[in-house]
């Protein structure tokens, strides 16, 4: 009997990959591109503090809550159909956001953007599984996709700074529209339709439970990063975990679940999903701490500060592509473990920052952290895609996106919380003589508050407070970086053990399945 070989992708498929990767870069940018635009939006729309918080966070909440249901919808009615529908929604949301005339309209537009992103993300990865049936080619394709997805997060602030330098704040949204139009034109020509041939009932209860789990969990984790988290933050996290347990139990009882809980009993799959979340924890937490260090310790303006974080994005992009190439020749466990090892070295380098250490310490560390993230993301996404039959690829893709969102939220919340606690206690212990008690308490909350208070204090006292606050912040930055470096070393050890039996063709599922392709 003749041996069956997977079909080799040609030029059409690689053009299709380019069409799929461009919107992914924009989706990732949408998380971070607002960082520099907020002052312009505040000046133009005059939002309240609560409205500004919703402008920033509603996109992530909607994306995290809907990505699993949208993945299931793509498997059910067709991934290309869902992808193109998501492009329409994302394009409309981008145009509406660009020309919003009030905070309420901008929040509503950001909701549309989140819905579109949740629809686009799992569909792009699932279609890569359809386009690239050869395991080696798929690894390279996943590496390129990962370079766009993870690199886009870091490249958002520099892109936003460039647009704001020459255009109005709406340009950070309007730039999405031509790329969505390109996807709508080229998608039907280059991308095949594929779906799960089995016709199963849509799991409405599972959708509601997943929303009830992820939305309060992401919200609570983000709120915990604030200087004074409320009891509602902890209540939201507890509620999210409770609904998550209910979701898991409900999925276990279903014959055709949105999320196959049994996959997490496989060490290879569990390590891939958990490891992806942990490296995003380290990447986003590290860059979150680097931003105020660049602007308030080294006193760089916002745009130069954003540009100096670009090397981390370059590290992600280069390492992701290289990992995709090496994955065709080297066992995945070794490649995967190299990622957190690089990140541990980078985090330890970053932890040596001082008030006067400048960029020579921070930037090399950021490059290594970015490179490690690119390696792990590429291998993890390929493992997730290959762990399920092709007809379930959109649902599996949604799991990898959910782990990214949870890791991002945890990184900002926990590393930010540790940094704030260390900063506050250190500054109170080293507070200069002559600072009034009320000002001392306020200055210990954030570095921004301390520098503003120091500017109003007379003589040498203000300068001493500013110096003490910057020193306290660098110590507060060092502690979570040390903790995260230890976490990355532990992840490398777990990966070497858990992936020791995975071979170069590990991604091929043991369950045969042929998607319905048109």
């Amino acid at each position: 009997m003749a041996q069956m070989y997977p079909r080799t992708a040609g030029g059409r498929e690689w053009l299709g990959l380019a069409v799929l990767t461009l919107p992914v870069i924009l989706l990732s940018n949408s998380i971070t591109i607002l960082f520099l635009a907020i002052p312009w939006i505040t000046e133009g729309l005059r939002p309240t503090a609560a409205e500004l918080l919703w402008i920033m966070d509603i996109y992530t909440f909607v994306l995290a809550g809907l990505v699993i249901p949208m993945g299931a919808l793509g498997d059910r009615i067709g991934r290309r159909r869902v992808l193109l529908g998501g492009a329409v929604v994302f394009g409309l949301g981008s145009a509406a956001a660009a020309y919003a005339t009030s905070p309420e309209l901008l929040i509503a537009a950001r909701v549309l953007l989140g819905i579109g992103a949740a629809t686009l993300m799992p569909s792009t990865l699932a279609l890569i599984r359809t386009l690239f049936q050869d395991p080696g080619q798929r690894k390279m394709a996943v590496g390129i996709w990962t370079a766009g997805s993870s690199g886009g997060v870091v490249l958002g602030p520099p892109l936003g700074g460039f647009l704001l330098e020459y255009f109005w704040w709406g340009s950070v949204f309007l730039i999405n529209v031509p790329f969505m139009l390109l996807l709508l034109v080229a998608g039907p020509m280059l991308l095949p339709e594929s779906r799960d041939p089995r016709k199963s009932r849509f799991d409405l209860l599972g959708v509601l439970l997943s929303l009830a789990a992820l939305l309060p969990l992401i919200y609570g984790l983000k709120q915990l990063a604030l200087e004074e988290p409320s009891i509602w933050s902890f209540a939201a996290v507890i509620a999210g975990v409770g609904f998550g347990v209910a979701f898991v139990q409900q999925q276990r009882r279903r014959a055709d679940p949105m999320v196959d809980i049994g996959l997490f009993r496989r060490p290879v799959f569990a390590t891939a999903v958990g490891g992806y979340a942990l490296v995003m924890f380290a990447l986003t937490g590290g860059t979150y701490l680097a931003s105020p260090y660049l602007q308030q310790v080294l006193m760089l303006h916002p745009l130069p500060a954003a540009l100096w974080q670009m090397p981390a994005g370059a590290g992600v992009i280069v390492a992701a592509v290289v990992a995709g190439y090496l994955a065709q020749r080297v066992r995945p466990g070794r490649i995967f473990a190299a990622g957190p090892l690089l990140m541990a070295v980078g985090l330890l380098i970053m932890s040596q920052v001082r008030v006067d250490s400048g960029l020579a310490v921070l930037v090399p560390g950021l490059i290594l952290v970015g490179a490690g993230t690119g390696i792990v993301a590429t291998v993890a996404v390929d493992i997730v895609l290959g762990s399920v039959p092709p007809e379930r690829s959109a649902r599996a893709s949604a799991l990898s996106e959910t782990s990214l969102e949870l890791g991002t939220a945890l990184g900002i919340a926990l590393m930010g919380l540790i940094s704030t606690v260390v900063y506050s206690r250190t500054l109170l212990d080293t507070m200069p003589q002559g600072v009034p008690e009320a000002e001392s308490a306020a200055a210990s909350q954030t570095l921004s508050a301390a520098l503003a208070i120091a500017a109003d204090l007379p003589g040498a006292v203000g300068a001493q407070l500013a110096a003490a606050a910057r020193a306290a912040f660098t110590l507060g930055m060092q502690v979570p970086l040390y903790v995260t470096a230890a976490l990355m070393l532990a992840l490398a050890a777990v990966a070497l053990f858990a992936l020791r039996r995975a071979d170069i063709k590990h991604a091929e599922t043991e369950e045969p399945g042929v998607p319905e392709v048109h």
Side-chain angles (χ1 to χ4, degrees):
M1 182 177 177
Q3 186 175 355
M4 298 294 292
Y5 292 97
R7 180 173 58 86
T8 301
R12 181 187 179 89
E13 285 76 15
W14 290 104
L15 282 174
L17 175 64
V19 169
L20 291 172
T21 303
L22 279 174
V24 166
I25 297 173
L26 297 173
L27 299 184
S28 303
N29 276 338
S30 295
I31 300 172
T32 55
I33 200 169
L34 282 189
F35 288 175
L36 294 182
I38 284 300
W40 281 264
I41 293 174
T42 302
E43 181 181 351
L45 300 182
R46 303 291 182 184
T48 65
E51 288 171 338
L52 189 61
L53 187 65
W54 282 110
I55 289 170
M56 287 293 296
D57 289 343
I58 192 65
Y59 174 84
T60 307
F61 294 161
V62 175
L63 170 58
L66 290 180
V67 68
I68 290 178
M70 290 302 181
L73 184 65
D75 285 339
R76 179 180 174 82
I77 70 172
R79 291 121 194 179
R80 188 181 69 182
R81 179 181 298 174
V82 170
L83 177 81
L84 298 178
V88 172
V89 174
F90 197 83
L92 291 175
S94 298
Y99 294 105
T101 55
S102 69
E104 294 83 3
L105 288 176
L106 183 54
I107 292 170
R110 292 280 284 171
V111 170
L112 280 179
L113 286 170
I115 295 171
T119 306
L120 287 162
M121 271 291 191
S123 299
T124 57
L125 262 181
L127 286 167
I128 286 176
R129 177 70 188 268
T130 302
L131 288 171
F132 298 93
Q133 299 177 15
D134 176 76
Q137 289 187 320
R138 188 178 66 239
K139 295 176 199 299
M140 179 59 71
V142 168
I144 294 170
W145 183 93
T146 303
S149 176
S150 301
V153 174
V154 183
L155 296 177
L159 176 60
F162 173 80
L163 292 171
L164 293 168
E165 188 77 17
Y166 298 101
F167 306 102
W168 93 114
W169 62 263
S171 63
V172 302
F173 300 109
L174 199 60
I175 191 175
N176 298 328
V177 174
F179 292 100
M180 292 302 112
L181 291 174
L182 174 63
L183 177 58
L184 289 171
V185 172
M189 295 187 292
L190 296 173
L191 304 174
E193 182 60 283
S194 65
R195 62 175 65 89
D196 188 342
R198 297 172 296 180
K199 303 299 182 183
S200 58
R201 294 179 60 187
F202 189 69
D203 185 8
L204 179 60
L205 177 60
V207 170
L208 295 175
L209 286 174
S210 69
L211 286 170
L214 287 170
L215 290 179
L217 182 59
I218 297 291
Y219 171 80
L221 291 173
K222 282 180 171 287
Q223 293 301 302
L224 287 176
L226 298 177
E227 291 77 20
E228 296 181 1
S230 68
I231 187 66
W232 297 109
S233 307
F234 296 98
V237 172
I238 293 170
V241 171
F243 281 113
V245 172
F247 174 72
V248 169
Q249 294 301 323
Q250 187 259 354
Q251 292 295 293
R252 281 178 171 171
R253 292 193 297 268
R254 283 186 61 86
D256 185 32
M258 282 196 303
V259 176
D260 186 356
I261 306 300
L263 288 172
F264 289 92
R265 291 194 291 266
R266 302 180 187 177
V268 172
F269 183 88
T271 301
V273 174
Y276 193 17
L278 286 176
V279 298
M280 292 308 300
F281 172 99
L283 175 69
T284 55
T287 53
Y288 175 77
L289 296 175
S291 294
Y293 175 81
L294 288 166
Q295 294 184 58
Q296 296 174 321
V297 177
L298 299 186
M299 301 303 292
L300 296 178
H301 291 292
L303 181 55
L307 292 174
W308 278 113
Q309 294 185 65
M310 282 189 68
V316 171
I317 292 168
V318 173
V321 176
V322 171
Y325 174 80
L326 291 177
Q328 304 173 52
R329 294 160 175 80
V330 182
R331 284 181 175 271
R334 297 174 184 175
I335 304 174
F336 191 105
L341 286 176
L342 276 178
M343 296 184 75
V345 174
L347 291 164
L348 289 173
I349 292 174
M350 290 175 64
S351 70
Q352 303 308 303
V353 294
R354 301 290 186 273
V355 174
D356 58 352
S357 60
L359 297 166
V361 173
L362 184 69
V363 173
L366 284 172
I367 293 173
L368 291 177
V369 170
T373 303
I375 291 171
V376 172
T378 299
V379 179
V381 169
D382 185 59
I383 288 174
V384 170
L385 275 182
S387 296
V388 297
E391 61 268 20
R392 288 176 162 268
S393 55
R395 276 172 270 197
S397 304
L399 282 178
S400 68
E401 179 62 25
T402 303
S403 67
L404 182 152
E405 297 299 332
L406 287 175
T408 298
L410 279 170
I412 294 174
L414 296 185
M415 292 183 72
L417 185 61
I418 295 171
S419 174
T420 299
V421 170
V422 174
Y423 164 80
S424 180
R425 293 182 178 179
T426 302
L427 184 57
L428 288 174
D429 290 341
T430 59
M431 188 69 65
Q433 295 293 327
V435 179
E437 184 175 349
E439 279 75 6
S440 296
S444 68
Q445 296 301 309
T446 66
L447 176 58
S448 299
L451 295 178
I453 292 169
D456 293 334
L457 290 175
V461 176
Q464 291 171 1
L465 174 58
R470 290 190 175 103
F473 179 83
T474 56
L475 181 61
M477 184 176 173
Q478 291 164 8
V479 173
L481 291 173
Y482 278 125
V483 172
T484 310
L487 187 64
M488 290 299 101
L489 291 174
L491 175 60
V494 169
L496 283 173
F497 177 78
L499 304 181
R500 68 191 185 282
R501 295 179 180 176
D503 59 22
I504 295 173
K505 295 184 179 180
H506 71 280
E508 291 307 292
T509 178
E510 295 176 0
E511 304 175 56
V514 179
E516 186 179 331
V517 179
H518 301 286

